[in-house]
Amino acid sequence: MTSQPKFIVVEGLEGAGKSTAIAFIKQYLQQRGITPVCTREPGGTPLAEALRDLVKQLHSTEQVAAETELLLMYAARMQLLQNVIRPALDAGKWVLADRHDMSSRAYQGGGRQLNEQFINQLRQAVLGELRPDLTLYLDIDPAVGLERARQRGELDRIEQEQLAFFQRTRQKYLQIAHSEPGIAIIDASQALAQVQQQLKAALDQVLTA
Ligand code: T5A
């Protein structure tokens, strides 16, 4: 088993099962003597959590510009990177992240159709060369995912978007997953046991790398 710390990210649309997957992965790693530092985005520090509240709440008196939304995501990400993710990796700890940069590329790049060059400039400024060792992308039909999310309670500002927004977001997720290394596509429409089998297979690759 490797002693190198790894940065593992779980991605996907609302209701894809990210929280459920994170709980499983955490336990799977702990059984192998690894206690990961768990993060979520946007959020994970007091300031970044405040930005999360701002970005998720409905603003009845003004429209949130897509560029503003993107900048808030990267502001929260910078704060989390500086205060949690980089220090953890530098200290030799594993990091298990509920969403990261791929979310901005998919939601703001795909869903909101923001300029890719603008996003890439922000990525470079905020992330530099940092990339996850493994991204587990939980792929789900947005209609199925949103129905799961709806059953859990009230939908937030982004969750209230039209289905077409989530279809564009999914397309961008898939486009990135098919064209870049280190991304495992997990069929999240399957029953939990099958999803966990897929997660194990992908994790075992980094555990033995
Ligand atoms: N955002 C975020 C951006 O636009 N840009 C960015 O850069 C970033 C970082 C964040 C919001 O911000 C946006 C995206 C989001 O809109 P969030 O709370 O982090 O919000 O993300 P959500 O996707 O809203 O989280 P959810 O809790 O809705 O989804 P999960 O975590 O994917 O799903 P989970 O595990 O809670 O499961 C949902 C339900 O499905 C069941 C679970 O038991 C649960 O009831 N379930 C299954 N049912 C059947 N079969 C399975 N295989 C199942 N797996 C789970």
Side-chain angles (χ1 to χ4, degrees):
M1 188 175 297
T2 179
S3 58
Q4 284 291 318
K6 300 280 194 239
F7 179 21
I8 299 176
V9 175
V10 179
E11 284 282 357
L13 292 176
E14 358 286 297
K18 294 178 298 300
S19 311
T20 313
I22 297 258
F24 170 77
I25 295 166
K26 195 175 167 190
Q27 193 187 33
Y28 193 69
L29 292 178
Q30 278 171 343
Q31 284 163 356
R32 282 147 189 83
I34 299 161
T35 303
V37 170
C38 294
T39 64
R40 71 168 180 179
E41 293 192 30
T45 81
L47 177 57
E49 285 292 324
L51 292 171
R52 178 188 178 89
D53 289 343
L54 281 177
V55 90
K56 289 191 97 170
Q57 78 195 31
L58 290 165
H59 302 268
S60 52
T61 53
E62 69 176 328
Q63 190 75 22
V64 179
E67 289 81 355
T68 309
E69 185 178 87
L70 179 75
L71 290 166
L72 288 171
M73 296 297 179
Y74 275 101
R77 183 161 304 128
M78 180 64 118
Q79 191 68 9
L80 182 70
L81 277 165
Q82 296 284 12
N83 290 355
V84 181
I85 296 179
R86 287 192 196 278
L89 292 171
D90 288 346
K93 295 178 183 155
W94 287 52
V95 174
L96 176 55
D98 185 342
R99 296 190 182 279
H100 184 55
D101 182 60
M102 197 179 178
S103 284
S104 297
R105 298 171 73 194
Y107 281 80
Q108 280 69 49
R112 302 263 186 244
Q113 299 175 292
L114 278 180
N115 181 280
E116 203 169 313
Q117 206 186 342
F118 178 42
I119 298 177
N120 284 339
Q121 283 169 346
L122 280 172
R123 293 185 76 208
Q124 181 57 34
V126 172
L127 303 178
E129 300 309 309
L130 183 73
R131 297 289 179 271
D133 295 289
L134 173 66
T135 298
L136 298 154
Y137 164 58
L138 306 188
D139 183 52
I140 192 115
D141 180 330
V144 176
L146 284 170
E147 187 48 41
R148 286 184 190 167
R150 202 168 285 123
Q151 281 180 10
R152 207 194 33 203
E154 232 172 82
L155 300 181
D156 64 35
R157 184 180 62 83
I158 296 176
E159 287 166 346
Q160 289 185 17
E161 282 294 335
Q162 301 293 314
L163 196 57
F165 167 83
F166 295 102
Q167 281 161 344
R168 286 195 300 274
T169 304
R170 184 191 194 192
Q171 285 317 309
K172 181 59 86 175
Y173 262 131
L174 284 167
Q175 184 195 321
I176 299 168
H178 283 299
S179 60
E180 294 182 16
I183 304 172
I185 301 176
I186 308 292
D187 180 356
S189 67
Q190 295 195 349
L192 213 50
Q194 274 82 53
V195 171
Q196 291 177 350
Q197 284 307 321
Q198 298 177 67
L199 292 172
K200 273 189 204 173
L203 285 168
D204 286 346
Q205 301 234 345
V206 291
L207 282 162
T208 53

